[in-house]
Amino acid sequence: MTTMPSDPSTALPGRPPVVDPATWQAARDELLVREKAHTREGDAIAAARRRLPMVELDGTVEVVGPDGPVPFLNLFQGRDELVVYKHMWYDGAPHQGQCEGCTTTAWHVKDAAYLNARGVSFAVLTTGRWDEVASYVEFMGYAQPWYSVRDVDAPVGGEMGHITCFLRDGDRVFLTYSTTARGNEPVNGSLGLLDMTPYGRREAWEDNPEGWPDAPQTDSPVGGHGSPICWYWRTDADGVATWGPTSRPVPQWTRPGATPVESLGRHGHHH
């Protein structure tokens, strides 16, 4: 006897009901009403974001890049708008000891061609010493411009781990927007796709059907997100989520010389 997919004895634990196409379409259409409302509210929020007041700052403040110190104004590359990602940095840490959350963001903006086409430049800023930063950028294969903003005051420097937007008017520079925490998620297209999948992101905070797969238990720090935290994107060589001395941010396994040679040791992770 052939086992049917709807046979309860073989069904996935917690699996939603199996229905005919018409019933599925009706449920899909019902959800679409909520999705459209969500989209329209997002558009309204973006419209309000474009109307936020601005803060003027000194565009001549220097940041350090491959050509040494340059004025912040240079990061606009002659364009009127600039988006930066502020990448956390752990001084002296091996490459695998750098922030896995910041790695996910930087990895998803490896090419700014579509931003450039709309008159927007992109750069990554971090508080690391330039020699360490340069080595890391080479190891990761990043083509985007990176700069050290060590000892530079906010809003160019300051707290890391978020996206900040600037506007240029001639030689005048203005801070227009900044976000933190989950406000960074629009950059990470993988999260949007995972949100469409049956199992989602597999993060501990998600509301899933009873019996759906649990989030990987990586013994990660709490960091305010529950355990494991939102950014658990660390694995060992076999792709198993882990937080131990052999783990590293996921894309590093595609990098040359990625075999772990050094323990994370004292370079703990604090978000």
Side-chain angles (χ1 to χ4, degrees):
M1 169 183 158
T2 305
T3 303
M4 297 300 290
S6 56
D7 185 336
S9 65
T10 59
L12 294 166
R15 187 191 67 187
V18 177
V19 297
D20 62 86
T23 305
W24 176 86
Q25 189 64 56
R28 175 70 193 94
D29 291 345
E30 185 178 355
L31 181 61
L32 185 60
V33 174
R34 295 179 61 188
E35 290 178 333
K36 288 294 186 183
H38 185 256
T39 298
R40 286 191 292 270
E41 177 63 11
D43 291 343
I45 291 171
R49 187 181 290 125
R50 291 190 290 272
R51 289 166 172 79
L52 281 174
M54 302 187 296
V55 177
E56 188 164 5
L57 59 130
D58 181 5
T60 66
V61 65
E62 290 190 332
V63 298
V64 179
D67 299 322
V70 296
F72 181 67
L73 202 59
N74 283 24
L75 276 57
F76 283 83
Q77 300 174 318
R79 300 184 178 94
D80 292 337
E81 297 176 277
L82 170 68
V83 174
V84 304
Y85 181 67
K86 296 188 170 184
H87 196 290
M88 294 178 183
W89 195 264
Y90 300 103
D91 287 343
H95 297 326
Q96 69 264 30
Q98 297 303 339
C99 177
E100 64 287 340
C102 290
T103 300
T104 64
T105 302
W107 192 259
H108 280 82
V109 198
K110 289 196 294 183
D111 190 317
Y114 282 96
L115 292 177
N116 297 163
R118 284 291 178 268
V120 181
S121 290
F122 178 81
V124 182
L125 309 181
T126 188
T127 53
R129 297 181 188 87
W130 177 249
D131 58 338
E132 290 188 16
V133 174
S135 172
Y136 181 74
V137 170
E138 181 182 11
F139 172 77
M140 293 298 289
Y142 290 135
Q144 296 289 23
W146 281 59
Y147 294 90
S148 171
V149 292
R150 197 176 190 85
D151 302 323
V152 176
D153 292 335
V156 173
E159 188 177 343
M160 297 289 108
H162 57 275
I163 298 159
T164 308
C165 301
F166 300 92
L167 178 67
R168 183 178 70 90
D169 182 3
D171 289 337
R172 299 178 71 187
V173 178
F174 305 90
L175 166 71
T176 62
Y177 181 70
S178 184
T179 190
T180 59
R182 294 191 61 189
N184 293 336
E185 287 186 5
V187 176
N188 189 337
S190 296
L191 294 178
L193 290 173
L194 287 170
D195 284 344
M196 297 181 188
T197 64
Y199 290 158
R201 306 181 189 188
R202 303 199 186 195
E203 293 178 0
W205 56 268
E206 286 183 293
D207 180 2
N208 287 324
E210 190 69 35
W212 239 213
D214 290 331
Q217 297 302 308
T218 60
D219 298 322
S220 60
V222 174
H225 298 288
S227 182
I229 62 170
C230 189
W231 302 119
Y232 62 75
W233 305 96
R234 301 185 69 84
T235 71
D236 61 17
D238 297 320
V240 177
T242 180
W243 209 267
T246 62
S247 78
R248 59 176 65 239
V250 169
Q252 290 193 10
W253 292 109
T254 67
R255 301 295 85 202
T259 305
V261 294
E262 197 174 348
S263 168
L264 297 185
R266 62 184 174 86
H267 309 294
H269 296 260
H270 305 286
H271 296 263

